[in-house]
Amino acid sequence: MLNLEKIKKAAKIVKYSNYVVVFTGAGISTESGIADFRSVDGLWSRYDPDIYANYYYFLQDPSKFWKMQKEVDDLMDISKPNLAHFAIAELEKLGKVKAIITQNIDMLHQKAGTGENGASIFQLHGEYGKLHCVQCKKEFKIGEVDTKNVDYPVCECGGYIKPKVVLFGESLPPGVFDAAMRAATEADCFIVVGSSLVVTPANMLPGIAKQSGAKLIFVNKEETELDYLFDISLKGKASEILTELVKLVKKQN
Ligand code: NAD
């Protein structure tokens, strides 16, 4: 059951804000068929991310990572944005959302139209569709490298090729976190959608926004240890809550 009173309060905050920043995690894409790390079924129940999505293990033996990645590739090819992604793009059209910070690599925000009305997108954990050699750093586009008919792709220099996504144990793409921090400090409203807020340093951003004076709204299925930070916490499906929120923001305009 949607808590309409709370959503109304959240809509009021959005209405009176001029610089909304949205921070998203894997939970926003579960309704697009991409499992988050908390799901009991789905991809991650078969591939423990601590092993299969770990840079240290990748360097030891990339075949494990690529076994998982081939399934991820198939999933990414067919996944489509859901109503939650579209609602955020709609808030950008209304002139509210100025930046999206995402932990996701799935590019579903872009597919929903985010960025088309001037919002910046900060992809903290890299993006799907680009690859590089971990040794000579040569870059490749997806499709330029045969990843299907081999155990794992190898560069002409002999180095292992991996997608430009951040694995556990790897540092974030240079500059992206600083830019995301700047956006968080600019925000007058900071909305978190579908994140357990356990992955660092990304989980520092709501606190940074709050310290800079932003109102904090949280849309998530489950409680997290950082719920206490938020002015409004909306529990339930992101697609339903955000669709209602956008409806109310439009009504109040
Ligand atoms: P997480 O898996 O740790 O937590 C997801 C949160 O979303 C949970 O608290 C869950 O209750 C909530 N949730 C699930 N479905 C929801 C829905 N329909 N509506 C609202 N809330 C919902 O995710 P995280 O905090 O992003 O951290 C996991 C890491 O995994 C990130 O670093 C991310 O890069 C990576 N990851 C990305 C993808 C992707 O690109 N889609 C998928 C899996 C994991």
Side-chain angles (χ1 to χ4, degrees), residues 34-211:
I34 304 174
D36 61 12
F37 280 172
R38 314 286 128 191
S39 302
V40 286
D41 50 8
L43 194 69
W44 308 111
S45 59
R46 282 177 288 120
Y47 298 111
D48 178 353
D50 283 337
I51 294 171
Y52 284 84
N54 183 304
Y55 193 51
Y56 173 77
Y57 288 110
F58 174 85
L59 293 177
Q60 306 263 312
D61 173 11
S63 62
K64 263 203 167 98
F65 167 84
W66 276 104
K67 185 168 187 281
M68 167 201 76
Q69 189 59 28
K70 284 174 190 175
E71 284 198 44
V72 171
D73 285 347
D74 292 344
L75 203 57
M76 297 287 170
D77 283 350
I78 56 165
S79 63
K80 293 193 172 67
N82 65 59
L83 290 175
H85 297 100
F86 286 116
I88 293 168
E90 186 67 22
L91 286 178
E92 178 186 338
K93 258 193 217 159
L94 294 172
K96 294 296 174 191
V97 170
K98 298 291 194 292
I100 309 284
I101 303 168
T102 186
Q103 301 182 94
N104 298 342
I105 53 142
D106 55 33
M107 310 292 284
L108 293 182
H109 286 299
Q110 289 90 333
K111 286 188 187 166
T114 279
E116 287 174 10
N117 290 279
S120 311
I121 307 178
F122 304 110
Q123 301 183 106
L124 296 180
H125 296 157
E127 63 189 90
Y128 181 73
K130 289 185 183 159
L131 303 99
H132 74 161
C133 166
V134 297
Q135 198 163 285
C136 71
K137 308 295 177 205
K138 182 173 176 186
E139 299 205 352
F140 306 90
K141 282 191 195 130
I142 203 161
E144 284 177 359
V145 178
D146 180 7
T147 56
K148 301 235 185 284
N149 303 302
V150 291
D151 282 347
Y152 51 87
V154 179
C155 178
E156 56 201 14
C157 79
Y160 299 145
I161 294 175
K162 80 178 255 305
K164 288 189 82 176
V165 298
V166 178
L167 301 184
F168 289 115
E170 243 185 321
S171 31
L172 301 188
V176 176
F177 190 70
D178 287 348
M181 267 202 318
R182 279 197 295 278
T185 57
E186 292 280 308
D188 48 12
C189 169
F190 191 90
I191 307 177
V192 175
V193 185
S195 176
S196 59
L197 294 175
V198 295
V199 177
T200 55
N203 64 356
M204 291 159 56
L205 292 167
I208 290 170
K210 194 180 174 87
Q211 272 174 9

